[in-house]
């Protein structure tokens, strides 16, 4: 981060300096987890549901933090503010304003933000020093914390923007105004909170609206709600597509998947074409890769560099479509990070591909935050799962009561001969599976974050080797 004195921090945030030397400097990382506080850093104390950061203020300073950003008095050097996220936003914005040469890209969409951000960051890093968030640092806390990591050496910021309501993305765009904006898709993630897909589109489109006239809106031509955002921006529009017959300037043709579901395709751009082989799993990573390619191209990367970079890019964030082959021949697809209807369909498609000719099992937890359409969405996904491949699914294990409608949906498929199994928790799911699993079977594990099925996936991945 750019070194800032406590006096400067107090001025930028409109806060009040307490017990601190105004000339003491913050030059280390700004964190909200006191365990990560380090020398020269700033610890932002947040009152959460389970614990209150203010209780850890002294520990953070003992660990080397210069000061604490707090909303009530603490006994260590601190800047007292009315609202911590607003203070972080003000600080982040002051850093952005102090670094006019940094080019800022924002990525949003209902599914694939983190995957695309990780791909894009691995391309853009080849052009110069790049700051991109770890994992999904994409809200009113993670976003400014990421921006605050930028310093005089930084050339690019590749940011993930999330929204749970109208105005959220507009807010993040004021914290760090992007010149480049990528919109991936409009889907059902958090659709319940938004009140329908049109509201989701309104919210995601705030990124397009925030772009300046000399900016670039990178839009998915295959999603009509995203393409319509072209009307909502002053920026130049560049589209990408993986649909056959598209005339989008950045597109993929000859898409195929290898035995492990890793996509290969020919990347077409106005500059020419190049073969690309991804290390990531699942056809849904084709649009993600195209979005990253379109962004890198706008930042000046040549076609060979893009194709090479995409082929070298690895999955940086855990539990997103990790494919693990056990020594006994069982394949585990760990996609336990999160779930919504679109991403579960994408994962089921990958399961079907990997299980071609063999048996497929799915351990699915519930998809959270779908609002009134929740039951119907779960039934539809269950039906979709029961229809995969030639032989369909050998077993669908629904974890937890809220996931039970998946089984009802699967049973709607009359021709389905697989088993519909209810498990109260992850341990029960593992037990049900253990009695059935044979070498060369493929198992998908997926649910919303709240279900924490990554433990189930980890247990499955570890099991056979011992
Ligand atoms: N373009 C996409 N379309 C549909 N599903 C996707 C796409 N990209 C990723 N996914 C699915 O969504 C899950 C979450 O991906 P992630 O990149 O973390 O998205 P986000 O950050 O938007 O939550 C992945 O595990 C995968 O199953
Ligand atoms: Mg994410």
């Amino acid at each position: 981060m750019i070194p800032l004195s406590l006096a400067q921090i107090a001025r930028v945030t409109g806060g009040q300096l307490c017990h601190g030397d105004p000339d003491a400097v913050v030059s280390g990382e700004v964190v909200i987890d006191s365990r990560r506080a380090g020398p020269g850093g700033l610890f932002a104390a947040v009152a959460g549901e389970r614990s209150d950061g203010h209780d850890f203020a002294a520990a953070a300073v003992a660990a080397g933090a210069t000061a604490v950003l707090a909303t009530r008095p603490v006994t260590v050097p601190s800047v007292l503010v009315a609202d911590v996220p607003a203070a972080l936003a003000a600080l982040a914005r002051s850093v952005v304003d102090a670094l006019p040469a940094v080019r800022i890209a924002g990525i949003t969409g209902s599914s694939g933000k983190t995957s695309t951000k990780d791909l894009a960051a691995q391309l853009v890093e080849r052009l110069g020093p790049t700051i991109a968030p770890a994992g999904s640092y994409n809200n009113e806390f993670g976003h400014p914390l990421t921006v605050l990591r930028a310093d005089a050496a930084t050339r690019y910021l590749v940011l993930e923007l999330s929204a749970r309501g109208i105005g959220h993305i507009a807010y993040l765009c004021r914290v760090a105004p992007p010149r480049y904006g990528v919109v991936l898709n409009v889907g059902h993630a958090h659709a319940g909170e938004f009140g329908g897909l049109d509201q989701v589109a309104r919210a995601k489109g705030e990124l397009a609206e925030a772009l300046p006239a000399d900016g670039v809106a990178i839009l998915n031509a295959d999603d009509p709600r995203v393409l319509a955002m072209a009307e909502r921006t002053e920026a130049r529009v560049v589209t990408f597509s993986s649909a056959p017959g598209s005339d989008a300037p950045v597109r993929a043709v000859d898409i195929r998947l290898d035995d492990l579901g890793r996509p290969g395709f020919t990347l077409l751009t106005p500059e020419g074409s190049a073969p690309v082989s991804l290390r990531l799993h699942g056809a849904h990573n084709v649009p993600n890769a195209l979005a990253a390619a379109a962004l890198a191209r706008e930042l000046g990367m040549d076609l060979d560099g893009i194709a090479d970079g995409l082929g070298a890019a690895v999955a940086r964030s855990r539990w997103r479509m990790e494919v693990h082959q056990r020594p006994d021949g069982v394949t585990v697809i760990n996609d336990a990070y999160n779930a919504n209807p679109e991403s579960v369909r994408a994962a089921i498609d990958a399961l079907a591909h990997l299980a071609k000719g063999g048996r497929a099992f799915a351990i699915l937890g519930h998809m959270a935050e779908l609002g009134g359409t929740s039951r119907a969405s779960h039934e539809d996904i269950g039906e979709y799962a029961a229809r995969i491949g030639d032989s369909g699914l050998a077993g669908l294990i629904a974890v937890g009561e809220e996931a039970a409608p998946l089984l009802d949906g699967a049973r709607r498929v009359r021709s389905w001969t697989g088993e519909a199994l209810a498990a109260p928790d992850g341990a029960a799911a593992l037990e049900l599976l253990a009695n059935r699993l044979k070498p060369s079977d493929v198992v998908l594990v997926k649910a919303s974050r709240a279900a924490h099925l990554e433990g189930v996936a980890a247990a499955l991945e570890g099991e056979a080797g011992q």
Side-chain angles (χ1 to χ4, degrees), residues 110-115 160 185 284 288 320 335 343 346 446:
S110 295
S111 303
K113 294 179 292 296
T114 297
S115 306
E160 174 175 337
N185 44 48
H284 59 274
N288 299 345
R320 289 159 177 88
D335 201 32
S343 74
K446 188 164 179 74

Side-chain angles (χ1 to χ4, degrees), residues 108-118 135-136 138 160-162 184-185 189-190 204 220 281 283-288 317-322 334-348 444 446:
T108 196
S110 295
S111 303
K113 294 179 292 296
T114 297
S115 306
T116 303
K117 175 265 298 173
D118 287 343
S136 283
N138 59 16
E160 174 175 337
L161 313 182
S162 85
L184 295 168
N185 44 48
H190 312 302
K204 306 285 176 197
N220 184 355
H281 303 268
H284 59 274
N285 276 310
V286 175
N288 299 345
S317 303
R318 296 292 319 271
W319 308 324
R320 289 159 177 88
M321 207 61 87
E322 292 176 17
N334 179 353
D335 201 32
Y337 184 73
N338 219 339
N340 60 61
E342 288 78 18
S343 74
V344 182
R345 273 171 213 266
I348 290 169
L444 166 69
K446 188 164 179 74

Side-chain angles (χ1 to χ4, degrees), residues 207-235:
L207 173 54
E209 285 170 356
L211 298 171
D214 64 352
V216 186
I218 297 170
L219 303 178
N220 184 355
D222 301 334
D223 185 323
R225 286 190 176 84
V226 175
L227 192 57
M229 292 173 194
E231 305 295 318
R232 292 167 62 188
T233 187
E234 290 175 16

Side-chain angles (χ1 to χ4, degrees), residues 377-428:
S377 296
H378 282 84
E379 288 176 1
D380 289 349
I381 291 294
E383 180 175 341
Y384 188 79
R387 288 190 194 284
I388 63 167
D390 314 324
S391 48
L393 207 58
L396 172 60
I397 302 176
V399 186
E401 211 169 303
E402 289 165 285
L406 289 164
L407 303 176
D408 301 330
R411 290 193 195 100
R412 292 203 298 236
V413 184
R414 292 272 159 90
S415 57
W416 184 48
T417 54
E419 289 181 279
L421 302 162
D425 54 29

